[in-house]
Amino acid sequence: RAAGAWSAGVLRVAVGLLRLLGPSLPNLPVGILRALTDGPGQPKPWRALQLARALRPARAFLQTFNPDVIHAQGTVLPVVERFLYRGLRVPLVCTVHDARAHERRPWLGSFTAFYRDFPWLICHSDSTRRQVQRAIPRARIAVVPHGAYTALVTPLPTTGDARHRLELPAASRIALFFGFIRPYKGLELFLDGL
C-alpha cells in the first residue's frame, strides 16, 4: 500500500543520502537531502566531522519538507547520525544493512543504540533479523529481501560482448570481487576458492 501511495504522490518520503548515485528515478514525490558528499578515500573521522556539520541543515530540511515517513538507509557513523532523527514527529523506519559494525571502532558509536531509536526496522535477511532481535528483543522488524538495482544499470551485455570489451580470453575463468578490501570481506577465502 505504501508503494502505491508513494508513486501516486499521496505519500511524501524524505530520503537522506551521504552520496547521490544520480537521479535514476526522476519525477517521484521524494525529497532528496544532499547535506554532504563523501568519497571512499576520506577517513572516517573527517566524514564524522562533515556529518556533524550537516546535522542542522539536514534537520531543517526534514522539518521543512514535512514528510509522511522518514526512511533511513542504515548508518555509517551512528554516534553522529542518531541525532539527525531523534525527536522528529514523523514515523521513522530504518533499513539495517549491518546488524553490527564489521570492525572494532568504538568511536563510531553503537549500531544497536542507533537502531533502537527507530520504531520499525527492515532487514534484508532472516539472519540479520535474528542478530538485531537478539540485541533489541522488542524491535519490530520486517524482512524484505534486497532489491535489484535495475534502475541504476544499463542492459547487460552478452558474455561474449563483455569478454571482448574487457579484452578477456574467451575460455578464461572469471571471478568478481567488489567492495572495500577489508579483513571481514574474506578475500583470502575467495582467492583460495579459485
Side-chain angles (χ1 to χ4, degrees):
R1 280 190 269 157
W6 180 54
S7 63
V10 176
L11 184 68
R12 290 172 55 87
V13 177
V15 179
L17 303 170
L18 291 180
R19 277 177 258 187
L20 186 61
L21 297 175
S24 58
L25 299 171
N27 303 322
L28 290 178
V30 61
I32 297 180
L33 166 64
R34 294 181 184 102
L36 64 100
T37 59
D38 72 337
Q42 293 179 334
K44 287 212 179 203
W46 176 250
R47 292 170 67 190
L49 179 61
Q50 284 185 299
L51 189 56
R53 288 179 181 159
L55 282 179
R56 182 171 286 145
R59 282 186 67 89
F61 166 82
L62 292 173
Q63 291 167 337
T64 302
F65 184 70
N66 193 26
D68 296 297
V69 64
I70 295 174
H71 182 181
Q73 284 293 314
T75 181
V76 176
L77 299 161
V79 72
V80 175
E81 291 176 71
R82 64 187 306 192
F83 296 104
L84 175 60
Y85 306 107
R86 192 173 277 169
L88 293 173
R89 297 177 189 267
V90 172
L92 301 169
V93 63
C94 180
T95 294
V96 176
H97 292 280
D98 299 307
R100 61 181 188 269
H102 295 292
E103 299 166 298
R104 183 162 160 62
R105 296 180 181 173
W107 57 269
L108 284 177
S110 167
F111 279 51
T112 300
F114 178 80
Y115 296 139
R116 192 176 284 128
D117 287 345
F118 288 87
W120 295 286
L121 299 171
I122 295 171
C123 294
H124 292 308
S125 70
D126 201 50
S127 171
T128 303
R129 182 201 55 79
R130 285 191 302 272
Q131 288 179 49
V132 173
Q133 204 83 65
R134 278 192 297 273
I136 311 170
R138 294 188 177 160
R140 290 181 281 186
I141 304 171
V143 176
V144 179
H146 205 296
Y149 291 114
T150 54
L152 302 178
V153 297
T154 57
L156 295 175
T158 66
T159 301
D161 287 343
R163 285 178 180 270
H164 177 74
R165 279 193 232 165
L166 296 170
E167 300 179 12
L168 297 171
S172 65
R173 287 179 55 192
I174 298 173
L176 173 66
F177 179 87
F178 60 94
F180 294 112
I181 297 177
R182 307 292 296 172
Y184 70 86
K185 292 282 190 175
L187 179 58
E188 70 283 356
L189 297 173
F190 176 75
L191 295 173
D192 287 346
L194 293 178

